[in-house]
Amino acid sequence: MYTFQIDKKLLPMKIHFFLSVGGAAPIFPFLTTISMQRGYSSVIVGLMFTLFTIPALLIRPVIGTITDKYKCRKTALILTIAMNCLALCALMFIPGTHVEKEIDDNDVIKSPLFWLFFSTIAIWHTSGNAEFVLENTICVALLGENTHKFGKQRVWGAVGWGTTSFLCGAVVDWFSRGQDYKNYTPGMIIALVMNILDLYVASKFEDVQNRDKETDTGDMKQVLTNIRVLSFIFWVVVFGFLNAFVWHYLFWYMEDLSRMYHPETISYIKTLEGLTQTIQCFGGEVPFFFLSSYILKRVDGMKVFSLMFFGFAVRFFLYSIIKNPVWVLPVEFLNGLTYALAYAAATSYSAEITPVGAEGTLQGIVATALLGIGAPIGSFVGGFMFDRFSSITSFGILSGIAFAICIIHIIENQFINRYCKDKKFKENSSHIVDHNAVGDVNDNL
């Protein structure tokens, strides 16, 4: 008879994902509308999301390489969480939460207040990206040979995000009753509390970093010059590009629908926005993160990417024909396909091909491709598309682009499978797990 068990060794990791990802939910998805309320145009918002990823672009591979060399992942993780706490404290005290009308872009660029807001967000975003690399690397080290079970750990981040985002949206609407703007301070307080709790949880992590093994640079160079790996990294960039339109512009689009077609929804639009995140997580990410272990044992990761691109084509098409923001909610069930499954596939695949001792390095490269190259490009393009074509028309255009990408990816993947013979990376590399350092991980969650 099957009994439900949780591996106690992995329990702190699950709690960390819940607090870490959940602690970002009151801030990250609402940044676009927070900026809109401050009078910034979609062009300025797109520029912001592009510029503040530059330091994050540098920190991801650097933090992976440094912690691989000096064996200090746990300490570095604690420091990044502490930096998140400081940035959140600063964000709560920056004045100028709302204006009556959109400010001219030139005036925004000249404003010291804008640059204070921008710098605070950039610091928070940079420390969060360093944390992203470290937590993924620590997690796959704990899993050892069972990297296909990464989704079962990361799913708790989705639970945290889905819970906290809905709570934040409802609380913001509640504290904004009778006002002509939204008060985001309660959400920031929720985020700060969760990050403080996460500091304690991270301090309880077991240190599984192998201190005796050195990175085989020859193996690493061989991996990074392999056509399959280069292709994989490119498609991770495209994955980040498409996700940027959901991460940064979904709420902007919903508020456009609300103002244009259904102004009666304005009073509870933040609750609706938070609910989209809840559905994305509980209706999409949670089941797909759990299923990812089963799927990735049987389906090639690049086939998962093909499905992901097709899912984006469908998702963006539905956005382009919706008039009521309430109908955005059922579309968000597609997030399991367009994000969770592909994310689990990318993390598991990169762990499988990494030479021993270089786990943080390749995770940093993948994170850079996703969040440091793909997402910023998507943010920049999205800002100009929303300004030039409107949000609804932009999603119609993006639907066609995503479908074309899907076709190209399928053709390219077939070509590589036919002409590239070195499919089994583990058989050709020195990726050997040290069970004394990692420990045995059974089939429990």
Side-chain angles (χ1 to χ4, degrees):
M1 180 178 177
Y2 177 79
T3 57
F4 180 80
Q5 293 180 323
I6 293 180
D7 191 326
K8 292 181 180 179
K9 182 179 179 179
L10 295 170
L11 183 59
M13 194 77 241
K14 292 177 172 65
I15 298 173
H16 162 75
F17 275 129
F18 179 89
L19 294 171
S20 173
V21 181
I27 308 296
F28 187 80
F30 293 97
L31 271 179
T32 302
T33 53
I34 291 173
S35 302
M36 179 196 294
Q37 187 171 276
R38 297 177 72 91
Y40 306 150
S41 70
S42 64
V43 173
I44 291 293
V45 172
L47 187 62
M48 282 175 52
F49 278 110
T50 302
L51 290 179
F52 69 51
T53 56
I54 293 175
L57 177 66
L58 300 174
I59 196 66
R60 278 184 286 263
V62 169
I63 198 71
T65 303
I66 289 175
T67 54
D68 278 347
K69 181 176 181 179
Y70 296 104
K71 317 300 181 186
C72 57
R73 289 176 193 153
K74 178 179 174 180
T75 301
L77 179 64
I78 292 171
L79 290 175
T80 60
I81 298 170
M83 185 64 69
N84 287 343
C85 293
L86 293 175
L88 287 169
C89 289
L91 189 61
M92 284 190 286
F93 293 101
I94 296 177
T97 57
H98 72 287
V99 296
E100 296 297 327
K101 61 181 181 179
E102 187 175 291
I103 305 171
D104 182 79
D105 291 349
N106 291 327
D107 293 334
V108 171
I109 297 298
K110 295 175 183 177
S111 169
L113 188 61
F114 165 74
W115 290 107
L116 176 62
F117 175 74
F118 170 84
S119 300
T120 305
I121 297 298
I123 292 170
W124 176 78
H125 187 266
T126 302
S127 62
N129 275 271
E131 183 180 354
F132 176 88
V133 175
L134 293 166
E135 66 190 9
N136 283 359
T137 309
I138 291 171
C139 185
V140 295
L142 284 165
L143 289 171
E145 292 180 325
N146 298 300
T147 56
H148 61 279
K149 294 184 178 180
F150 173 80
K152 289 185 176 180
Q153 317 314 312
R154 180 57 178 76
V155 69
W156 294 99
V159 173
W161 183 282
T163 303
T164 311
S165 56
F166 174 70
L167 174 63
C168 174
V171 168
V172 167
D173 277 337
W174 176 268
F175 278 87
S176 303
R177 290 179 303 168
Q179 301 181 38
D180 57 356
Y181 66 96
K182 297 296 183 180
N183 181 2
Y184 290 96
T185 302
M188 296 178 187
I189 293 173
I190 292 171
L192 180 60
V193 170
M194 295 187 75
N195 275 271
I196 291 172
L197 292 173
D198 195 25
L199 277 173
Y200 173 77
V201 173
S203 70
K204 299 299 180 182
F205 280 170
E206 180 179 347
D207 189 353
V208 297
Q209 192 164 4
N210 194 322
R211 300 179 183 276
D212 300 320
K213 297 286 186 181
E214 295 295 332
T215 303
D216 189 327
T217 56
D219 278 348
M220 196 64 200
K221 289 178 182 177
Q222 184 180 7
V223 168
L224 293 177
T225 55
N226 184 280
I227 187 63
R228 285 185 183 276
V229 178
L230 294 176
S231 172
F232 162 66
I233 292 172
F234 171 78
W235 292 116
V236 170
V237 170
V238 180
F239 176 37
F241 172 82
L242 295 174
N243 263 298
F245 291 90
V246 177
W247 293 340
H248 302 320
Y249 295 107
L250 177 62
F251 290 1
W252 189 297
Y253 154 77
M254 290 180 68
E255 297 200 6
D256 280 351
L257 292 180
S258 182
R259 285 191 299 269
M260 293 169 62
Y261 302 112
H262 290 274
E264 74 278 4
T265 62
I266 292 175
S267 62
Y268 56 89
I269 191 65
K270 293 301 162 187
T271 303
L272 280 179
E273 290 169 356
L275 193 55
T276 64
Q277 305 301 294
T278 302
I279 293 174
Q280 283 181 13
C281 295
F282 289 104
E285 292 182 22
V286 169
F288 273 93
F289 271 132
F290 271 115
L291 288 171
S292 65
S293 175
Y294 176 86
I295 294 171
L296 293 174
K297 273 187 172 182
R298 295 160 176 82
V299 180
D300 179 74
M302 289 299 95
K303 290 182 180 177
V304 168
F305 267 46
S306 296
L307 287 171
M308 174 262 293
F309 293 136
F310 179 76
F312 269 118
V314 174
R315 187 175 186 176
F316 290 158
F317 172 75
L318 292 173
Y319 287 160
S320 71
I321 62 174
I322 287 173
K323 297 295 176 65
N324 190 326
V326 173
W327 285 105
V328 174
L329 300 181
V331 179
E332 300 315 290
F333 284 96
L334 287 170
N335 199 59
L337 179 60
T338 59
Y339 177 69
L341 185 59
Y343 175 68
T347 303
S348 176
Y349 183 82
S350 60
E352 289 174 5
I353 65 176
T354 310
V356 68
E359 296 86 355
T361 303
L362 192 57
Q363 289 291 345
I365 292 171
V366 172
T368 298
L370 176 65
L371 301 174
I373 300 176
I377 294 173
S379 301
F380 186 77
V381 172
F384 278 94
M385 286 185 70
F386 272 42
D387 184 65
R388 178 69 176 83
F389 302 111
S390 83
S391 58
I392 298 170
T393 303
S394 294
F395 277 121
I397 296 170
L398 287 166
S399 176
I401 293 173
F403 184 74
I405 289 171
C406 177
I407 299 300
I408 294 169
H409 180 263
I410 291 171
I411 294 171
E412 190 235 37
N413 196 41
Q414 290 292 327
F415 182 84
I416 288 179
N417 285 339
R418 176 173 295 184
Y419 295 105
C420 186
K421 304 300 182 183
D422 54 343
K423 190 171 184 179
K424 300 296 184 181
F425 289 103
K426 276 197 168 184
E427 295 175 3
N428 300 328
S429 74
S430 61
H431 189 91
I432 302 172
V433 178
D434 186 332
H435 293 283
N436 292 327
V438 175
D440 293 328
V441 182
N442 56 28
D443 287 335
N444 299 336
L445 293 178

